[in-house]
Amino acid sequence: MPADDIDPWDDPTAKPLIRFDRVTKRFGEFTAINNLSLNIFETEFFALLGPSGCGKTTLMRMLAGFESPTEGHIFLSGQDLAPIPPNKRMVNMMFQSYALFPHLTIYDNIAFGLRRQKTPKAELAERVDEMLNLTRLEKFAHRKPDQISGGQRQRVALARSLAKKPKLLLLDEPLGALDKKLRQETQFELMDIQEKTGTTFVIVTHDQEEAMTVASRVAVMDEGQLVQVSTPDVIYEMPNSVYVADFIGDVNLIEGKAKKVEDGIDLNWAENQPTLHCKTNKSVSNGQICHLAIRPEKITIQSDTPETKNKVQGTILDIAYLGNISTYHVQLSSGHVIKAQTSNTRRIARRSFTWEDTVWLSWTETAGIVLDK
């Protein structure tokens, strides 16, 4: 594979733009960040993802200079950020509230930071025009923030943040104030702007779908530590723990005792239920408690007995119709509930199954993943 095709995080010779080196942050007796090390590379769109209180915002505030590490160091382009005040860092931050000046026009909001650093008039005008064009706000330049929509205000805040050409842009829950449809549209706009500018973006979010959509890599956090850092497809398809599998998307988690077999693992999991088989290279001990994680879309639902090794029978307990998909909650005789999804490919179609129907669920031997932690 040519060197140019290697992602920087897979290249041991690549130098990170941001490096967290054994960083700990304490607030009194509370440890918000615990001995964390992380590399983020130039031009990445990197997502810090986790529930409230996991430490993701504290990481961002330390990058911005609003907090200092209790232990460890943070480097930007190889330079220790500790002695550099926030206003001297090549870092800008876009807040969830956007923090626009209501008395200034859109043009003047974008120009504000450039004027503060005494940018020459011609250069300032050129840069503001460039940002207006990039965010498609040219015709709104002379309006005030209360005269434009929420999505447009979000783009103004983004344009203002990028106007000073920071090496790094921090986005703190930037789309949280938008409705779902606008949020989805804006995600793609953010990706497009990040690609055009080449600026490194670090976004803090608790929205898994948002992180999976926009990010080149995602760091899943819990209690001040990194649980898994990888590309969205790996995070979703190959989670490294029950926590990540459960936090990202929808998943069935079946707990049982593992038994090593030639091509993988058999899982004994419930009385009067068949042994489940998973092809895997994972090393486990016989009798070890493990979880089999299977995404609902990888499970087939049918009325006839399937000719596969992994199959269970149950009764439809509930159905969630979401337009493009339907999710069936199927209760087994053991009391376990397993979710299966089907795509609604026809515009109007009668459901194949309904409440209280007896159905079979089945999946391939490679559909699930065995998790031992």
Side-chain angles (χ1 to χ4, degrees):
M1 181 186 287
D4 288 349
D5 292 340
I6 300 175
D7 289 317
W9 49 87
D10 292 327
D11 182 359
T13 65
K15 293 184 178 178
L17 175 70
I18 304 159
R19 182 160 68 92
F20 288 87
D21 181 24
R22 293 167 293 179
V23 171
T24 294
K25 177 63 180 177
R26 298 189 189 92
F27 296 96
E29 295 183 359
F30 174 69
T31 302
I33 301 293
N34 188 8
N35 194 31
L36 182 146
S37 294
L38 172 67
N39 291 335
I40 300 173
F41 294 86
E42 202 163 359
T43 73
E44 270 207 87
F45 200 138
F46 193 90
L48 295 169
L49 174 67
S52 298
C54 72
K56 58 189 187 294
T57 300
T58 301
L59 268 191
M60 177 172 280
R61 289 179 62 81
M62 287 193 289
L63 268 176
F66 302 144
E67 303 286 354
S68 299
T70 308
E71 297 168 15
H73 300 274
I74 304 172
F75 299 91
L76 179 65
S77 297
Q79 184 178 25
D80 191 344
L81 287 176
I84 305 173
N87 62 326
K88 300 294 184 185
R89 299 183 182 191
M90 286 296 289
V91 177
N92 219 333
M93 189 163 182
M94 181 180 149
F95 297 94
Q96 183 178 3
S97 65
Y98 309 149
L100 300 179
F101 298 108
H103 61 289
L104 297 180
T105 63
I106 302 312
Y107 186 100
D108 289 333
N109 263 284
I110 296 171
F112 184 82
L114 296 169
R115 289 194 173 116
R116 288 288 299 271
Q117 66 178 22
K118 296 183 167 51
T119 304
K121 282 187 179 180
E123 185 184 335
L124 181 147
E126 183 181 347
R127 186 64 182 159
V128 174
D129 286 343
E130 185 184 342
M131 290 297 98
L132 287 167
N133 180 59
L134 180 70
T135 52
R136 295 181 288 108
L137 290 166
E138 303 98 316
K139 62 183 180 183
F140 304 104
H142 300 295
R143 294 192 189 181
K144 301 281 181 68
D146 64 353
Q147 297 173 318
I148 59 176
S149 70
Q152 288 162 344
R153 286 196 290 274
Q154 191 267 352
R155 298 210 301 271
V156 175
L158 183 63
R160 184 180 62 184
S161 300
L162 290 169
K164 292 169 67 176
K165 297 185 179 178
K167 281 186 179 178
L168 172 65
L169 180 62
L170 308 174
L171 302 105
D172 183 15
E173 302 274 7
L175 311 181
L178 305 180
D179 64 67
K180 183 172 182 179
K181 191 168 189 270
L182 184 55
R183 190 162 67 241
Q184 289 173 336
E185 291 171 1
T186 309
Q187 287 168 5
F188 290 101
E189 288 178 354
L190 272 180
M191 293 163 67
D192 187 46
I193 289 168
Q194 190 270 337
E195 191 174 332
K196 284 178 180 174
T197 61
T199 306
T200 303
F201 281 20
V202 175
I203 184 171
V204 159
T205 181
H206 64 272
D207 186 322
Q208 308 128 39
E209 187 179 318
E210 184 170 290
M212 301 288 278
T213 300
V214 303
S216 54
R217 282 192 305 155
V218 177
V220 183
M221 296 186 65
D222 185 37
E223 296 184 346
Q225 295 185 312
L226 300 172
V227 185
Q228 186 171 5
V229 181
S230 197
T231 54
D233 58 325
V234 171
I235 293 276
Y236 186 82
E237 298 289 355
M238 289 178 279
N240 66 359
S241 64
V242 168
Y243 175 82
V244 175
D246 198 28
F247 189 75
I248 302 291
D250 208 355
V251 71
N252 295 290
L253 291 165
I254 299 172
E255 183 180 341
K257 289 184 179 179
K259 178 186 176 184
K260 291 188 292 186
V261 293
E262 188 175 339
D263 63 345
I265 291 169
D266 281 345
L267 196 74
N268 295 307
W269 60 289
E271 193 174 342
N272 299 323
Q273 291 295 341
T275 298
L276 303 178
H277 180 66
C278 181
K279 286 186 177 178
T280 178
N281 295 321
K282 187 178 244 345
S283 177
V284 297
S285 306
N286 283 328
Q288 182 177 343
I289 299 297
C290 294
H291 286 82
L292 181 65
I294 319 163
R295 301 291 181 186
E297 71 272 14
K298 300 187 190 307
I299 295 179
T300 300
I301 181 169
Q302 61 192 83
S303 54
D304 300 328
T305 308
E307 295 181 5
T308 55
K309 188 165 187 177
N310 294 321
K311 60 189 174 207
V312 293
Q313 191 178 38
T315 303
I316 294 177
L317 186 68
D318 214 343
I319 304 170
Y321 175 75
L322 301 174
N324 59 330
I325 60 170
S326 290
T327 302
Y328 295 86
H329 297 238
V330 178
Q331 187 169 42
L332 312 186
S333 60
S334 59
H336 293 79
V337 175
I338 294 181
K339 289 173 279 188
Q341 275 179 358
T342 60
S343 296
N344 299 322
T345 54
R346 296 181 182 176
R347 188 175 67 84
I348 298 176
R350 191 178 69 83
R351 271 199 197 98
S352 302
F353 310 104
T354 190
W355 287 264
E356 299 185 5
D357 279 358
T358 298
V359 293
W360 284 92
L361 303 179
S362 62
W363 57 92
T364 66
E365 296 174 353
T366 56
I369 183 169
V370 174
L371 302 170
D372 57 0
K373 60 178 181 178

